[in-house]
Amino acid sequence: MTELGSALITGASSGIGAAYADRLAKRGFDLVLVAHNEQHLKTVADQVVAETGVKVDIITADLTSRTDVRRVEQRLRSDNSIALLVNDAGIGTPKPVLDEDIDFLESVVELNVVTAHRLAVAAAQVFAGRRRGGIINLSSIAVLHPEQVNATYGATKAFILNLSQGLHREAGPKGVKLQVVLPGATRTEFFSRFGMSIDSRFPAEQIMEPADLVDAALAGFDQGELVTIPSLPDMKDWERFVAARLALGPNLSHSKPAARYGLTGAGLLHS
Ligand SMILES: NC(=O)c1ccc[n+]([C@@H]2O[C@H](COP(=O)([O-])OP(=O)(O)OC[C@H]3O[C@@H](n4cnc5c(N)ncnc54)[C@H](OP(=O)(O)O)[C@@H]3O)[C@@H](O)[C@H]2O)c1
């Protein structure tokens, strides 16, 4: 076991998760790599071991299966060496909701929400008990323009942002470091899974390489950022967005509806 302990990375068989595996191993973490495709996981594991010599375990799991997810959760809870969770596994769809198979959309929710929630909460509970540990959750810039992405996918990533902010409030004071990462378009298998080229959807100047994304995200983690948006040139833009949200606070719950609804008298609603 290295001094840093181990990092458990879901979705480590390709794309952003594989880039986290590479970078965290180079920082000296041992790894527990989780994904569905065993062959791809082995390829990532072999490369990391050859380059860094750290210890790498792989767990092959279908993270839309609750039985498999509980196996991964059990590893998180029982392995005292695990000091970092990278909650990365996720899928989307290029089709709009109205054209997509509803069972597939439900599997997107299962993976991106139910599983990510289960593993993040399990890690938060375990790490808070040890007063040490970190959780990195992968959201998306889709949360900032839900009108432009598949509605189900955008909603799952908004869940991850809110979950991370809430967990930070609860577990942060107990020594657990939270980060939520909002990537923009990143050159991974995300689109090619659907037979699509990312280049056909975005201009080159909007597409980031996964290694650059992860290097920036880890720099943000080191700097103690809760929300990391690797592409955003000026974090003050995000801070202004949060400030506008917080300014709504005093007006979000009142005993009477707002005047614009015209409900001035108590019985008006039913007259
Ligand atoms: N690429 C982008 O433009 C972009 C932008 C914003 C956010 N993100 C987010 O970044 C995260 C990583 O995505 P990526 O871009 O790196 O895509 P990717 O290359 O397609 O990687 C997705 C990872 O999730 C795993 N996965 C998918 N379904 C699974 C299942 N049922 N069980 C277990 N593992 C499963 C895949 O493993 P297997 O291949 O083994 O199934 C793979 O390792 C996702 O949460 C995604 O929403 C991506």
Side-chain angles (χ1 to χ4, degrees), residues 11 13-14 16 36-37 62-63 88 153 157 186 188-189 193:
S13 62
S14 71
I16 295 169
H36 199 200
N37 186 315
D62 175 359
L63 293 175
D88 166 82
Y153 178 73
K157 292 298 168 180
T186 312
T188 67
E189 306 302 310
R193 283 173 194 274

